[in-house]
Amino acid sequence: MIKALDRGFTGAVTGWYTENRRDLPWRKDRQPYHIWISEIMLQQTRVEAVREYYLRWMEALPDIPSLAEADEEQVLKLWQGLGYYSRARNLQVAAREIMEQHGGVFPTEFDKIRALKGIGDYTAGAIASIAFDQRMPAVDGNVLRIMSRIHADYSDIKAAATKKKVAAQLAELYPEEGKGLCGDFTQGLIELGAMVCVPNGKPQCEICPAAEFCRARAEGVQMELPVKAEKKARRIEERTVFILTNGSLEEGGRMAVRKRPAEGLLANLAELPNVLGELTPDQALQRAWVWGCSPAGLTRSSKFKHIFSHVEWHMTGYYSTCSDCGTPDEGEPFRWVTAEEMEAEVPLPSAFQYFL
Ligand code: ADE
């Protein structure tokens, strides 16, 4: 027999969370700034990877005013490697909105939280429930997986209508406000999805606190759920990347970088000079001459693949020591930076880090 889905489920999840929660830096208090930054970082990134980024960020930008006033370069540098850089820019825009529209105090009302730049339904729900103890669901992939199994529901979890349905189901199940439990329910569901009702491989139903409420378990269909519509195949782009230096970096030599265009993928971030297509060594050498770098021969790297959400870059690198600090005739000029400058100042996306 499956138990009816009621607040018994809620109690099972929050009780389990209290006993089993991982000790994570953003769980030390309920400051909305802490919850907000961590939730944005945790979108698309593993908990273990976020830990370091979160601690570094809080050291550098401990509150809303410091984020609002920071240089964009510093913000992007703190984000370097997390990907989806618009998230970092939006954080700063929202911090400025909070300074200007809310007197520097994080708003408590759901609609006002939701109206901040870069905050969608999920993040607004997470902040409202965790920081402000409100009965507001936060429906992410973990929560969708759990609820599709609990109900043995074969709806496509990528569909907006499914998210809406799950949010409505959960809204009924949230604990009463005023006991500090709404955040535990939100984080309990997320934690259960990460630790027990896992996405890859077999869920650990034997230790699941919600097992007696779970229709998928009762019917033995856990592994068929959730249903996710196939994604469109990514576009593949061949690229040739140039690692141009004017001497050994260990001995103070410099490497050419430039700023990417203000629009599109990795907007305004740094890049190693690169062109579309896979150039032969001769073509690559010629390209470096056209840029005015006077290259002394080239070494070809192995191929690297970097995956973005809609496109894959298949990159070939050419290393060359140059005797002139050339610069392209179009687009942004090259900046020739030392290893120290690269480390401290240049927001070079992960896609280019393979070559360093
Ligand atoms: N993933 C998304 N939100 C999270 C949280 N608060 N703790 C751990 N993992 C998460």
Side-chain angles (χ1 to χ4, degrees):
M1 260 310 271
I2 328 174
K3 278 199 186 166
L5 194 64
D6 56 17
R7 296 275 181 90
F9 168 79
T10 312
V13 172
T14 53
W16 174 85
Y17 177 68
T18 308
E19 295 291 315
N20 295 281
R21 51 185 264 167
R22 285 170 293 176
D23 183 22
L24 300 172
W26 49 91
R27 291 181 176 168
K28 299 216 180 297
D29 60 58
R30 292 170 181 246
Q31 280 190 47
Y33 180 67
H34 294 168
I35 308 302
W36 172 40
I37 302 297
S38 64
E39 288 299 341
I40 300 290
M41 285 184 173
L42 285 159
Q43 288 166 22
Q44 333 271 357
T45 311
R46 288 175 308 105
V47 165
E48 282 317 313
V50 167
R51 236 184 235 273
E52 292 301 310
Y53 279 94
Y54 174 86
L55 292 171
R56 242 177 353 121
W57 179 286
M58 287 303 160
E59 180 101 15
L61 307 172
D63 49 28
I64 296 166
S66 57
L67 171 56
E69 287 158 21
D71 282 341
E72 189 183 53
E73 289 265 296
Q74 187 194 6
V75 175
L76 294 174
K77 193 70 200 168
L78 287 164
W79 203 265
Q80 181 181 321
L82 280 173
Y84 301 92
Y85 289 83
S86 58
R87 291 184 294 165
R89 288 205 189 85
N90 288 343
L91 282 173
Q92 191 168 38
V93 173
R96 290 174 181 162
E97 289 171 353
I98 296 170
M99 296 309 291
E100 284 157 22
Q101 297 163 23
H102 304 289
V105 179
F106 207 100
T108 56
E109 237 175 89
F110 180 87
D111 290 345
K112 292 193 174 141
I113 301 172
R114 176 71 179 77
L116 294 168
K117 184 81 177 168
I119 295 191
D121 289 334
Y122 167 78
T123 310
I127 296 169
S129 60
I130 301 170
F132 301 125
D133 193 27
Q134 294 173 16
R135 304 186 68 220
M136 289 292 172
V139 181
D140 72 349
N142 288 306
V143 175
L144 285 164
R145 181 171 60 258
I146 293 170
M147 296 311 282
S148 73
R149 286 177 175 160
I150 288 285
H151 289 289
D153 183 338
Y154 285 73
S155 314
D156 171 18
I157 61 162
K158 290 275 167 201
T162 310
K163 283 184 198 165
K164 224 170 143 179
K165 177 172 72 183
V166 168
Q169 290 164 351
L170 283 174
E172 299 293 315
L173 293 169
Y174 261 73
E176 272 173 53
E177 293 180 3
K179 297 185 173 163
L181 287 174
C182 291
D184 284 4
F185 189 48
T186 294
Q187 295 215 73
L189 288 169
I190 293 168
E191 196 78 346
L192 197 61
M195 309 301 291
V196 176
C197 197
V198 290
N200 304 307
K202 225 166 146 1
Q204 294 189 268
C205 302
E206 332 63 65
I207 59 161
C208 180
E212 53 195 359
F213 300 93
C214 187
R215 184 168 291 277
R217 181 178 115 103
E219 295 176 8
V221 295
Q222 304 92 310
M223 294 296 280
E224 291 174 26
L225 291 162
V227 172
K228 237 190 248 188
E230 284 292 317
K231 270 205 224 132
K232 241 175 62 183
R234 290 188 203 92
R235 180 163 51 85
I236 292 179
E237 250 176 46
E238 295 289 338
R239 289 202 162 258
T240 303
V241 177
F242 292 81
I243 308 91
L244 305 173
T245 52
N246 65 3
S248 159
L249 292 180
E250 276 114 55
E251 288 159 24
R254 292 171 179 270
M255 180 183 284
V257 294
R258 68 178 170 190
K259 197 167 179 170
R260 287 181 56 81
E263 302 285 331
L265 186 66
L266 306 176
N268 273 334
L269 294 169
E271 66 178 358
L272 299 177
N274 66 90
V275 296
L276 210 52
E278 182 178 356
L279 302 191
T280 63
D282 279 351
Q283 290 169 325
L285 202 56
Q286 199 179 0
R287 167 55 55 189
W289 276 106
V290 169
W291 281 335
C293 298
S294 309
L298 292 174
T299 311
R300 187 180 182 140
S301 77
S302 47
K303 259 189 139 161
F304 293 108
K305 183 155 91 174
H306 191 83
I307 298 177
F308 298 96
S309 53
H310 302 299
V311 61
E312 284 180 23
W313 282 0
H314 292 191
M315 296 174 287
T316 304
Y318 284 105
Y319 292 79
S320 180
T321 308
C322 304
S323 48
D324 283 310
C325 284
T327 203
D329 44 8
E330 54 184 41
E332 290 285 327
F334 292 165
R335 179 179 165 205
W336 292 78
V337 296
T338 62
E340 290 75 34
E341 286 167 339
M342 181 75 102
E343 176 68 24
E345 299 168 21
V346 179
L348 191 72
S350 303
F352 298 101
Q353 300 279 342
Y354 304 101
F355 300 104
L356 300 188

